[in-house]
């Protein structure tokens, strides 16, 4: 094994997925040597006649480029694509095992119809397509378009999402389409929309190579986005002045690399961000010229009684709170922030005054670039839109935005949550390219492109995700089609959504493996996965990436878009998809692309995507844009302006700073339920684990879920690692093994449970509170108790 010591070699192998030098106590040179050995040994065992093809990774929103080696019609090898500007050849542990997710022994191969006794009967595609079409048409005829729904995914390809959107809104004349991304990044969408009237970040991954300071807002980036974290660590290695600041409610691997770890009480990040703003203004660390030129001030409803929390019981049918914006001012902001002195914020958050002031110094330093990153810790929040606003407020008020190495940067967790959900617009209120169904001009434009009569698309938004499943449970939705997602694992307060197939509603599920969601299905349709079909994703830095089909799907599996198109044609809606059955991907994409051309949402032409490793929109004259709204980068910025928020027409083409107060969480620990519960992901698995748990190496590395406890709490309860405990909330209970002293460590009075394990459904415990604007659930804050078993 060369001259590399075995102990070091094994340590490297055990942490390769973290994708960064120094993730354990070994040197960068050790890691590079180990990777060289692994690569050499792997290549020595590969077939000589491999055919290689490019694709983006199937998992998270980073969008790493991979090359897949195909032999005898099977994906047998994968390597990081050195030509990809995203990951430059590096992958995480999940990426290095990508082909395994295609070859689980229980792949779904044929359409299956559930019988009255609960068994499944294999049927043909003609029968399946006819049945889906009949069920949708029957529900619409008897109960109207609001009685049908489609629940999709940030894992949909752009083709899947666009086909579903066009069919539901243009064909069924319903807005009841929403994605699982409502659960993961809807608050980021509304953050951008409320501040810039256009979605998605202005920065890009180049910022990770350029910034001086990185502030991770509840973002365990070392585990959740390890390849990007490796870029940050490489920046720090080359530039020792770089500082990492971890703001969190529990210690994680990210904390181990932080120059400053800031621990706050759950929900108090609202107060903390306002405290930073207070300090910046009081100490004159703001950019007044930038504010005068580029910023307006806004304020909305702040009364918690009027807003509510969206919980079942409080809003048993629909949570439809709508904010009422009004103009504000800088002077009103100053007055508003008087309540957020460092001392007061310290009382609320538990963060020492000195750390609050240090955060002010970091953001207020006039010569250092700052990048804020966040993901689920901010978005899955009862006031997630407000938190997005507050983080961006800090960047706007200091002018640290739209500059290379200085931006707020929202990360996503799914491979095309940006490209398919946010850009295609597969949300209940949206259309492509930032258009919304409530705007009559936007509806008319969509109807023009789709060649539909004016008035086809309804103006009323459909059900958002949680309300959609509440409506299914009530029986208001009669027919629902679920694709590429696993809601009977991921929905909060999961016991609320139990059903029995054959209960008078009809649920169709398209997936690649059996899941708790297929267990709820009346009809199961086998889907083609990843490189078994042609596809395109859009990642977190606005990069659209295309891939060709590299292998055939197993059995009779079909891609999701094909399934939708065939149902549409069976329902007499073939005019929506007027392209040859064997050549529709490119014309469908080009039609979708036409929505954004000339509006600052310009996607690259399909042929250009085929030839490249992706391009960041807006793409004008074949040239991508690294930085939106930035002079010299964004072709829509004119007149030599350094910054121009040209999409914000309603704000006079300026960005909005929103005044957003601190509200307490809807549920806090008490005598009966004394612990905070936070849920989340782990390095080895992705989302509900329906793919990664079928990869032997990943499953062996992390075989089951656990409850992570502070060692002092474990000792007080009289338990240790691997002991069983019962975790109980007001909604359900779960028996798990204890993990104490592991890679993550919550503070006293808090526990953490990952959600990848379908046998241990943590969401029977969680509270179904929602953000008031985005309607995204909060999976990070509820109260539980622990009992010895």
């Amino acid at each position: 094994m060369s001259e590399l010591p075995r102990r070091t070699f094994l340590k490297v192998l055990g942490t390769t997925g973290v994708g960064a030098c120094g993730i354990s106590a070994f040197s960068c040179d050790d890691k590079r040597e180990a990777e060289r050995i692994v690569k050499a040994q792997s290549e020595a065992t590969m077939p000589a006649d491999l055919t290689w093809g490019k694709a983006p990774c199937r998992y998270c929103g980073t969008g790493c480029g991979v090359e897949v080696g195909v032999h005898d019609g099977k994906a047998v090898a994968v390597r990081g694509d050195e030509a990809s500007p995203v990951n430059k050849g590096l992958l995480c542990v999940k990426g290095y095992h990508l082909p395994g997710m295609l070859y689980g022994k229980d792949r779904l191969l044929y359409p299956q119809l559930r019988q009255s006794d609960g068994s499944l009967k294999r049927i043909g595609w003609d029968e399946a397509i006819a049945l889906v079409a009949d069920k949708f048409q029957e529900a619409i005829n008897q109960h109207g378009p609001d009685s049908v729904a489609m629940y999709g995914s940030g894992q949909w390809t752009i083709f899947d999402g666009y086909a579903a959107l066009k069919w539901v809104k243009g064909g069924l004349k319903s807005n009841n389409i929403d994605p699982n991304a409502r659960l993961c990044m809807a608050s980021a969408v509304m953050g951008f929309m409320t501040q810039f009237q256009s979605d998605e970040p202005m920065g890009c991954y180049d910022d990770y190579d350029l910034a001086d300071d990185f502030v991770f807002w509840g973002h365990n980036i070392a585990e959740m986005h390890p390849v990007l974290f490796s870029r940050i660590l490489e920046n720090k290695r080359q530039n020792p002045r770089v500082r990492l600041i971890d703001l969190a409610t529990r210690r994680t691997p990210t904390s181990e690399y932080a120059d400053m770890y800031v621990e706050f009480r759950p929900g108090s990040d609202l107060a903390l961000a306002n405290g930073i703003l207070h300090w910046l203004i009081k100490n004159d660390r703001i950019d007044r010229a930038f504010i005068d030129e580029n910023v307006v001030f806004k304020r909305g409803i702040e009364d918690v009684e009027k807003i509510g929390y969206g919980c079942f019981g409080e809003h048993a049918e629909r949570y439809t709170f709508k904010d009422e914006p009004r103009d504000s001012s800088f002077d009103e902001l100053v007055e508003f922030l008087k309540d957020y002195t460092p001392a007061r914020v310290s009382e609320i958050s538990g963060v020492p005054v000195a750390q609050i002031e240090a955060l002010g110094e970091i953001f207020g330093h006039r010569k250092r670039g700052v990048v804020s990153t966040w993901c689920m810790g901010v978005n899955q929040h009862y006031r997630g839109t407000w938190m997005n606003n507050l983080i961006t407020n800090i960047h706007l008020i200091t002018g640290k935005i739209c500059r290379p190495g200085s931006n707020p940067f929202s990360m996503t967790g799914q491979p095309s949550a940006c490209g398919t959900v946010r850009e295609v617009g597969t949300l209940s209120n949206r259309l492509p390219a930032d258009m919304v169904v409530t705007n009559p001009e936007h509806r008319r434009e969509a109807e023009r492109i789709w060649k539909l009569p004016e008035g086809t698309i309804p103006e009323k938004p459909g059900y958002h995700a949680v309300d959609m499943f509440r409506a299914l449970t009530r029986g208001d939705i009669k027919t629902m089609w679920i694709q590429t997602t696993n809601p009977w694992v991921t929905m909060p307060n999961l016991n609320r959504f139990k059903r029995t197939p054959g209960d008078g509603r009809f649920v169709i599920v398209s997936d690649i493996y059996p899941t708790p969601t297929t267990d709820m299905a009346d009809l199961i349709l086998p889907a083609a996965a990843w490189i078994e079909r042609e596809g395109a994703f859009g990642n977190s830095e606005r990069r659209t990436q295309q891939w060709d089909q590299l292998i055939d799907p197993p059995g009779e599996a079909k891609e999701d878009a094909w399934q939708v198109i065939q149902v549409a044609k069976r329902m007499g809606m073939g005019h929506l998809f007027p392209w040859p059955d064997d050549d529709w991907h490119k014309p469908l994409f080009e039609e979708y692309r036409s929505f954004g051309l000339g509006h600052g949402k310009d996607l690259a032409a399909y042929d250009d995507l085929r030839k490249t490793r992706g391009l960041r929109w807006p793409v004008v004259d074949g040239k991508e844009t690294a930085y939106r709204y930035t002079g010299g980068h964004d072709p829509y910025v004119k007149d030599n302006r350094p910054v121009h928020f040209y999409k914000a027409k309603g704000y006079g083409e300026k960005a909005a700073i929103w005044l957003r107060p601190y509200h307490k969480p809807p549920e806090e620990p008490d005598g009966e339920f004394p612990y905070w519960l936070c849920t989340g992901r782990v390095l080895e698995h992705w989302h509900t684990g329906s793919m990664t748990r079928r990869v032997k190496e990943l499953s062996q590395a992390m075989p089951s879920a656990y409850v992570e406890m502070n060692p002092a709490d474990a000792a007080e309860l009289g338990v240790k690692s691997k002991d069983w405990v019962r975790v109980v909330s007001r909604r359900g209970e779960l028996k798990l093994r204890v993990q104490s002293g592991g890679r993550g460590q919550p503070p006293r009075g808090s526990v953490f449970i990952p959600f990848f394990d379908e046998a241990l459904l943590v969401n029977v415990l969680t509270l179904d509170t929602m953000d008031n604007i985005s309607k995204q659930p909060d999976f990070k804050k509820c109260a539980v108790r622990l009992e010895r078993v």
Side-chain angles (χ1 to χ4, degrees):
M1 195 173 285
S2 185
E3 69 282 359
L4 188 69
R6 177 176 173 81
R7 179 183 295 273
T8 299
F9 180 77
L10 292 175
K11 287 169 72 176
V12 173
L13 282 185
T15 55
T16 295
V18 181
C21 299
I23 283 295
S24 287
F26 57 88
S27 72
C28 290
D29 289 340
D30 284 341
K31 185 174 192 300
R32 292 190 184 100
E33 176 64 8
E35 288 179 336
R36 183 189 66 76
I37 295 170
V38 170
K39 182 178 180 181
Q41 291 181 342
S42 298
E43 290 179 349
T45 61
M46 288 179 185
D49 56 345
L50 280 181
T51 300
W52 293 91
K54 73 172 177 77
C57 178
R58 174 57 181 81
Y59 294 126
C60 82
T62 300
C64 292
V66 303
E67 291 183 293
V68 182
V70 176
H71 179 71
D72 287 342
K74 186 175 181 179
V76 298
V78 68
R79 63 191 182 196
D81 187 350
E82 295 183 0
S84 169
V86 172
N87 54 308
K88 304 174 184 178
L90 186 64
L91 296 175
C92 78
V93 67
K94 295 182 291 293
Y96 282 122
H97 293 93
L98 264 169
M101 56 79 67
L102 298 171
Y103 299 114
K105 295 178 180 179
D106 55 346
R107 270 296 293 266
L108 296 172
L109 302 177
Y110 313 103
Q112 299 176 83
L113 178 64
R114 197 170 300 278
Q115 305 299 292
S116 59
D117 63 358
S119 63
L120 292 169
K121 175 186 175 183
R122 176 178 170 179
I123 63 174
W125 270 110
D126 285 346
E127 183 179 352
I129 294 297
L131 182 58
V132 175
D134 289 347
K135 289 294 183 179
F136 272 92
Q137 193 64 66
E138 177 184 310
I140 291 170
N141 290 345
Q142 296 181 9
H143 305 283
D146 285 346
S147 69
V148 298
M150 187 152 205
Y151 187 60
S153 174
Q155 300 160 62
W156 261 343
T157 69
I158 289 171
F159 305 113
D160 303 331
Y162 185 70
L165 177 82
K166 191 177 184 182
W167 173 57
V168 173
K169 300 197 176 189
L172 302 181
K173 301 180 183 178
S174 171
N175 286 323
N176 283 344
I177 179 172
D178 216 51
N180 66 355
R182 177 75 67 176
L183 311 183
C184 68
M185 52 86 237
S187 295
V189 173
M190 294 313 299
F192 285 113
M193 292 301 295
T194 54
Q195 295 192 277
F196 306 100
Q197 297 193 321
S198 182
D199 187 22
E200 297 199 47
M202 54 288 302
C204 62
Y205 297 161
D206 298 3
D207 286 328
Y208 294 174
D209 307 325
L210 300 172
D212 301 300
D213 294 311
F214 293 89
V215 181
F216 309 124
W217 292 82
H219 184 194
N220 179 14
I221 188 172
E223 285 195 273
M224 302 305 106
H225 298 96
V227 172
L228 294 179
F229 191 55
S230 75
R231 290 179 65 162
I232 293 171
L233 291 186
E234 180 61 14
N235 180 6
K236 185 175 177 65
R237 186 185 70 83
Q238 295 185 21
N239 304 287
R241 70 180 188 282
V242 170
R243 297 178 296 189
L244 312 184
I245 298 90
D246 183 30
L247 279 59
T249 59
R250 59 186 267 268
R251 285 186 174 272
T252 67
T254 302
S255 313
E256 301 307 307
Y257 294 90
D259 295 279
M260 181 167 70
Y261 171 67
V262 180
E263 189 170 283
F264 59 89
R265 296 190 185 105
S268 68
D269 43 356
L270 291 157
L272 181 59
N274 277 315
I276 295 169
L277 287 166
H278 172 101
W279 189 94
L280 290 168
I281 291 173
K282 183 178 180 181
N283 291 276
D284 194 25
R285 297 294 185 86
I286 62 177
D287 190 332
R288 293 182 182 271
F290 183 90
I291 294 167
D292 292 343
E293 179 71 20
N294 298 292
V295 171
V296 298
F297 295 85
K298 295 287 179 179
R299 198 164 186 174
I301 296 174
E302 298 170 6
D303 185 343
V304 69
E305 297 299 324
K306 292 182 179 180
I307 295 171
Y309 290 101
C311 301
F312 192 93
E314 178 189 15
H315 300 278
E317 293 194 3
R318 300 193 72 168
Y319 182 43
T320 58
F321 169 82
K322 187 175 182 180
D323 205 5
E324 296 176 5
R326 66 170 177 84
D327 292 337
S328 185
S329 65
F330 179 79
D331 289 341
E332 190 173 17
L333 174 66
V334 173
E335 184 66 25
F336 168 84
L337 291 172
K338 285 183 178 179
D339 288 339
Y340 295 96
T341 64
R344 172 85 197 293
V345 169
S346 181
E347 290 177 7
I348 295 170
S349 66
V351 176
V353 168
Q355 284 196 325
I356 297 168
E357 294 173 342
L359 288 167
E361 290 279 4
I362 287 164
F363 281 105
H365 197 293
R366 300 191 189 280
K367 295 184 179 180
R368 293 176 66 88
V370 182
V371 168
S372 291
T373 76
W374 66 95
C375 198
M376 299 307 105
V378 166
N379 293 336
Q380 291 177 340
H381 195 303
Y382 59 94
R383 296 291 182 261
T385 301
W386 289 11
M387 267 310 302
N388 274 267
N389 290 159
L390 288 169
I391 295 169
T392 302
N393 285 354
I394 294 170
H395 283 264
L396 285 168
I397 209 164
T398 56
K400 295 191 174 187
I401 193 168
C402 302
R403 291 162 43 185
S406 213
N407 278 299
F409 204 115
S410 164
M411 287 298 304
T412 49
Q414 297 187 85
S416 204
C418 288
T420 301
V421 173
R422 299 165 76 163
E423 293 160 26
V424 173
T426 56
L427 293 135
S428 58
N429 65 320
R430 284 171 71 90
L431 292 163
D434 283 339
M435 298 199 300
V436 292
V437 299
T438 52
N439 186 316
E441 293 183 8
H442 294 175
R443 294 197 305 274
R444 282 194 292 270
E445 176 65 4
E447 289 159 351
R448 181 192 67 80
I449 291 173
W450 290 343
K451 298 180 174 62
L452 298 173
E454 189 172 319
T456 298
I457 301 170
E459 64 178 329
K460 179 184 175 182
Y463 291 111
H464 58 78
V466 176
D467 278 359
M468 182 181 287
F469 280 85
R470 289 175 179 174
L472 179 71
T473 302
R474 292 193 307 271
D476 291 349
I477 288 178
K478 307 297 182 183
T479 300
M480 179 188 282
W481 193 351
I482 300 166
Q483 287 191 333
T484 328
T485 187
N486 197 2
W488 267 277
V489 175
T490 58
M491 296 301 291
N493 194 1
L494 195 55
N495 286 331
R496 279 289 182 190
F497 304 111
K498 288 181 177 179
R499 77 174 293 259
T500 302
D503 57 8
R505 292 150 286 178
F506 196 79
V507 175
I508 307 110
V509 176
S510 301
D511 213 325
I512 65 174
Y513 288 112
T515 67
T517 299
T518 62
D519 290 344
M520 297 294 107
D522 299 283
L523 177 64
I524 301 172
L525 301 178
W530 192 39
I531 56 169
E532 296 168 353
R533 41 80 56 89
E534 187 173 338
F537 286 155
N539 77 351
S540 295
E541 66 163 352
R542 298 172 280 106
R543 183 180 299 276
T544 312
Q545 302 184 82
Q546 184 274 347
W547 72 93
D548 291 328
Q549 180 179 350
L550 302 180
I551 59 177
D552 291 331
E556 296 177 6
K558 302 288 187 182
E559 64 180 288
D560 296 297
W562 179 91
Q563 298 177 27
V564 171
I565 292 170
Q566 296 308 309
V567 169
K569 290 180 176 180
R570 186 64 64 99
M571 297 180 73
M573 302 172 188
H575 59 284
L576 296 174
F577 305 101
W579 308 295
D581 286 344
D582 60 350
D583 187 22
W584 54 268
H585 290 89
K586 177 180 174 180
L588 182 146
F589 183 89
E590 291 296 340
E591 179 187 272
Y592 156 60
R593 175 174 171 256
S594 69
F595 277 88
L597 295 179
H599 302 292
K601 306 285 284 193
D602 313 61
L603 298 178
Y606 197 65
D607 287 340
D608 289 339
L609 294 175
R610 271 206 159 109
K611 294 182 291 188
T612 65
R613 263 51 176 185
L615 293 168
R616 294 169 293 194
W617 59 261
V619 179
V620 178
D621 297 328
K623 183 180 179 181
E624 68 174 352
T625 298
Y627 293 95
R628 294 178 79 194
Y629 312 128
T630 305
H633 291 273
D634 188 334
Y636 284 89
V637 176
K638 307 297 183 184
D639 303 323
N640 297 316
R641 296 179 63 170
V643 174
H644 182 199
F645 297 111
Y646 55 84
K647 293 289 287 183
K649 305 297 185 185
Y651 302 156
E653 301 189 355
K654 295 185 177 184
I657 284 179
W658 285 83
L659 284 63
R660 302 297 199 189
Y662 164 69
H663 282 176
K664 289 184 177 181
E667 183 174 275
E668 297 181 294
D670 57 19
E672 185 178 3
F673 299 96
Y675 290 89
W676 285 107
L677 167 64
C678 177
T679 72
R681 290 192 354 223
V682 294
L683 171 67
E684 294 84 356
H685 289 290
W686 191 75
H687 281 210
T688 66
S690 58
M691 293 180 288
T692 52
R693 284 185 305 103
R694 288 170 169 86
V695 178
K696 181 181 69 173
E697 295 84 354
L698 300 177
S699 183
Q700 288 176 341
M702 182 63 69
S704 61
Y706 52 86
V707 56
E708 182 182 278
M709 295 185 68
N710 182 281
D713 284 337
E716 185 175 280
L717 190 63
V719 296
K720 60 186 182 301
S721 288
K722 298 186 179 181
D723 286 349
W724 289 98
V725 294
R726 183 177 292 108
V727 185
V728 184
S729 78
R730 291 178 172 87
R731 292 154 294 280
E733 61 181 54
L734 195 61
K735 182 181 174 183
L736 301 116
R737 290 190 184 275
V738 169
Q739 185 182 98
S740 181
R743 71 175 73 155
Q745 182 171 306
R748 293 212 63 177
S750 292
V751 297
F752 171 84
I753 302 174
F755 71 91
F756 70 86
D757 192 338
E758 293 176 344
L760 296 167
L761 298 176
V762 66
N763 282 316
V764 302
L765 305 172
T766 51
L767 182 66
D768 56 349
T769 187
M770 285 178 269
D771 173 65
N772 55 315
I773 296 173
S774 71
K775 310 302 186 290
Q776 177 170 349
D778 187 333
F779 295 90
K780 304 298 184 182
K781 294 172 281 295
C782 73
V784 298
R785 69 171 179 264
L786 274 63
E787 302 170 351
R788 293 178 60 184
V789 176

